[in-house]
Amino acid sequence: MYCNQPPEKPGNKKELLEKITNMARANSLWVTAYGTGCGAIELRPLHTSRFDMERFGIAMRPTPRQADVLIISGYLATKTLKRVIRVYEQMQDPKYIVALGSCTINGGMYFDSYNTLNVLDKYLPVDVYVMGCMPRPEAIIDGFSLLMQKIKDGRAQGWKHYKENLDYYRENQKKIITDWDLPDYNW
Amino acid sequence: MLANFTSVALTIVGALTWGLLLGGISRSVTARIHGRMGPRVTQNFIDLWKLFRKTSSIHHGGMFWMAPMFRITGAICVLLMVPLVIGQNITYNMSFAGDVFLLIYIMFFGCLGMALGAGNSGHPYAVIAVSRGLAQMSSYELSFSIAVVAIAVGLHTFKIEGIVAAQQAGITSWNIFRFPFASAGALLAFLPMQMAYPFGIVLAPQEIPIGPPTEYSSRMLSFMLSGRALFGVAKLILFVSLLFGGASSWLSLFVKTFLLYMYPIVVSSVFPRFRTEQSIRFLWFIPTTLALVDLVRVML
Ligand code: SF4
């Protein structure tokens, strides 16, 4: 027996460790229990025996300190943005954002409303969008599997992007939040 | 010396693995009772590794950092002071070092450290949970201690080794049959010890979302979860030694601890939660009275 291909070089140790960790991150997504728009109602069935998201290792956490994923579940009102920023910045790295519904993508049916945001990406780094108005639980599960794949491949880097471009995000956020009273970064 | 050191290290690693695995199995069993598939049995290992590799940027003072260490230390001390397998002297670890009273004290010490740390985090939910937890702990500790005293007085020994050795004449010599009331009291006290429903007032997800660890994250939380897994196994082995004749082989150790672990899980799945005062009233009256019956019986 012989092999006509040269043996593959093993990656360096750090890379391997990161790969294993990414596998763990992808299979243990803890979600902040926080709903912003009407899409939150479609998250509830995910806990039930019919959809059972715990089988993917996805669990709800009642505190942002322990969560990995923040779900923006539909339209984001201008007043809610401040709270969402606070929740997101209190989460520990690495952290991901999943945005549900057309409202988060382009404003959806509230595109000309005076009190909702149109393009969420300008204010927070979204890793995965799930479209629909409102997305069914199956679509949300599909979105989660996309997020899991991105994490495994090391492509879910929204949190890094946010830190590197904090000025850009802050500028946009401050255009919406006129009574800005948050610290520079809320740990 | 080297053999002892190896045995201690293996006991800790083994107990941690077994504790995490039991946690995974319990999540699957609970899911099946709900009619769901549930997570993998290895889910707790995955969660632990993920948490360990997350960044930590939260600081709430020294006690906040020390609490998980208190918990792990308490758990390891309890674990090492109970002989694991009868007849295999190497697995007795440090059981020469103390008696059951020291064990009860150390069990309390781990929880107390946790309470101080969670209190230091300053989160209102954590503080409420700590006050509830301490109130409940002082109630179940009472019945548990009386049950242990009844057994120790009945067998004329306070040493765990002695208590295990006295149960080696067949199943009928197990303390659960010789001291049925004290055992019932201790087993009722075991439910709040494992934070099982109906005594789950400390973590109470619908009221004070997760209670004491609200502010803990990342690495600290992973230490806390490891401490919990270790402590769980330590308590299981202690109960097996106190009531169920100890373990004569590794297989019997695993089977007995597994069955005992399933008892609070099954009870938990079908009971709603007590309110704090109901839980405390129940623990002060029913298990304490049961344990006292046997204590009076052995004294007479
Ligand atoms: S996308 Fe539709 S369901 Fe979702 S928040 Fe907007 S209007 Fe509501």
Side-chain angles (χ1 to χ4, degrees):
Chain A
M1 293 276 290
Y2 73 97
C3 175
N4 55 8
Q5 290 207 331
E8 265 184 38
K9 270 192 195 155
N12 68 34
K13 270 186 202 158
K14 224 174 170 188
E15 225 169 73
L16 186 67
L17 188 70
E18 195 59 23
K19 250 186 196 162
I20 295 172
T21 309
N22 278 343
M23 289 291 280
R25 284 173 184 147
N27 288 303
S28 156
L29 290 173
W30 290 0
V31 181
T32 327
Y34 183 70
T36 58
C38 26
I41 203 79
E42 291 289 330
L43 287 174
R44 307 296 181 262
L46 288 176
H47 301 281
T48 59
S49 44
R50 178 156 182 176
F51 297 104
D52 183 25
M53 64 179 184
E54 207 189 359
R55 72 198 144 110
F56 303 111
I58 302 171
M60 290 306 229
R61 299 311 284 187
T63 155
R65 298 290 196 210
Q66 298 169 6
D68 311 299
V69 182
L70 174 62
I71 297 184
I72 308 292
S73 53
Y75 61 77
L76 188 58
T78 47
K79 268 193 175 177
T80 323
L81 179 64
K82 200 188 215 174
R83 280 83 201 168
V84 169
I85 293 169
R86 207 154 164 69
V87 169
Y88 178 68
E89 293 184 359
Q90 284 188 37
M91 288 163 64
Q92 303 298 298
D93 301 332
K95 49 193 174 185
Y96 318 101
I97 294 188
V98 175
L100 303 186
S102 340
C103 280
T104 52
I105 301 174
N106 58 8
M109 63 188 271
Y110 297 108
F111 73 98
D112 58 351
S113 165
Y114 68 96
N115 66 351
T116 56
L117 304 179
N118 276 2
V119 184
L120 183 60
D121 235 357
K122 282 199 212 156
Y123 310 95
L124 288 165
V126 180
D127 291 288
V128 170
Y129 278 111
V130 181
M131 52 175 196
C133 176
M134 54 189 42
R136 294 274 306 138
E138 290 91 336
I140 301 176
I141 290 181
D142 195 44
F144 266 111
S145 33
L146 188 63
L147 178 65
M148 286 157 89
Q149 196 52 50
K150 277 184 88 170
I151 296 172
K152 277 181 203 162
D153 300 345
R155 288 185 290 122
Q157 301 286 352
W159 57 279
K160 263 189 196 161
H161 189 261
Y162 184 73
K163 283 193 171 167
E164 285 160 11
N165 300 287
L166 193 62
D167 293 340
Y168 164 78
Y169 284 110
R170 275 284 184 267
E171 198 188 325
N172 290 339
Q173 289 164 356
K174 282 181 184 171
K175 275 183 203 154
I176 303 293
I177 307 171
T178 43
D179 58 337
W180 182 271
D181 55 359
L182 299 177
D184 285 345
Y185 198 90
N186 314 254
W187 294 110
Chain B
M1 182 66 195
L2 186 68
N4 285 344
F5 185 76
T6 319
S7 160
V8 166
L10 283 179
T11 306
I12 295 170
V13 175
L16 181 61
T17 314
W18 184 228
L20 291 173
L21 205 58
L22 281 176
I25 295 171
S26 90
R27 283 171 76 174
S28 294
V29 169
T30 313
R32 295 300 154 93
I33 294 173
H34 293 165
R36 296 185 283 119
M37 267 180 64
R40 314 165 182 81
V41 285
T42 51
Q43 187 64 46
N44 283 353
F45 295 93
I46 301 175
D47 291 348
L48 205 67
W49 182 246
K50 176 206 72 177
L51 285 171
F52 190 75
R53 298 276 295 162
K54 267 174 93 84
T55 56
S56 268
S57 53
I58 301 155
H59 176 62
H60 286 296
M63 202 56 221
F64 178 76
W65 293 100
M66 268 151 65
M69 306 309 151
F70 267 60
R71 177 108 188 197
I72 291 185
T73 315
I76 291 178
C77 288
V78 175
L79 191 68
L80 295 183
M81 282 195 189
V82 187
L84 300 182
V85 180
I86 306 152
Q88 297 189 17
N89 284 347
I90 194 75
T91 66
Y92 282 28
N93 294 319
M94 300 193 310
S95 57
F96 58 85
D99 54 21
V100 275
F101 286 116
L102 185 66
L103 271 181
I104 294 177
Y105 171 74
I106 292 174
M107 281 166 76
F108 193 76
F109 167 84
C111 300
L112 204 61
M114 186 56 237
L116 289 173
N120 204 3
S121 76
H123 197 284
Y125 290 153
V127 177
I128 296 171
V130 164
S131 67
R132 286 175 172 203
L134 290 180
Q136 183 167 267
M137 189 159 66
S138 49
S139 326
Y140 70 70
E141 283 281 328
L142 180 73
S143 51
F144 179 61
S145 311
I146 296 176
V148 169
V149 171
I151 291 171
V153 171
L155 297 176
H156 299 289
T157 174
F158 283 104
K159 286 286 221 189
I160 298 268
E161 276 175 54
I163 293 175
V164 175
Q167 303 177 68
Q168 297 311 309
I171 284 194
T172 46
S173 69
W174 289 6
N175 287 339
I176 191 162
F177 298 113
R178 282 162 81 179
F179 305 94
F181 293 103
S183 303
L187 284 174
L188 280 175
F190 186 62
L191 292 173
M193 261 185 214
Q194 296 289 64
M195 288 188 267
Y197 281 29
F199 304 101
I201 57 171
V202 180
L203 297 183
Q206 295 84 356
E207 286 170 22
I208 43 169
I210 43 169
T214 306
E215 277 296 298
Y216 282 92
S217 67
S218 321
R219 212 160 277 194
M220 283 289 108
L221 190 64
S222 77
F223 285 140
M224 201 167 270
L225 294 181
S226 319
R228 200 169 158 190
L230 272 173
F231 207 20
V233 172
K235 278 185 279 189
L236 289 173
I237 298 175
L238 177 66
F239 266 76
V240 165
S241 303
L242 282 179
L243 305 180
F244 300 98
S248 51
S249 66
W250 286 105
L251 182 68
S252 107
L253 182 71
F254 284 117
V255 171
K256 281 180 182 174
T257 47
F258 177 76
L259 291 178
L260 190 58
Y261 187 81
M262 280 298 128
Y263 147 65
I265 304 294
V266 174
V267 175
S268 245
S269 301
V270 291
F271 272 103
R273 194 178 61 234
F274 273 150
R275 289 205 308 267
T276 311
E277 74 277 10
Q278 290 169 326
S279 160
I280 289 167
R281 200 178 306 137
F282 179 90
L283 290 169
W284 272 89
F285 286 108
I286 313 286
T288 312
T289 316
L290 284 170
L292 271 174
V293 169
D294 257 349
L295 182 62
V296 172
R297 188 173 63 86
V298 293
M299 294 285 227
L300 288 178

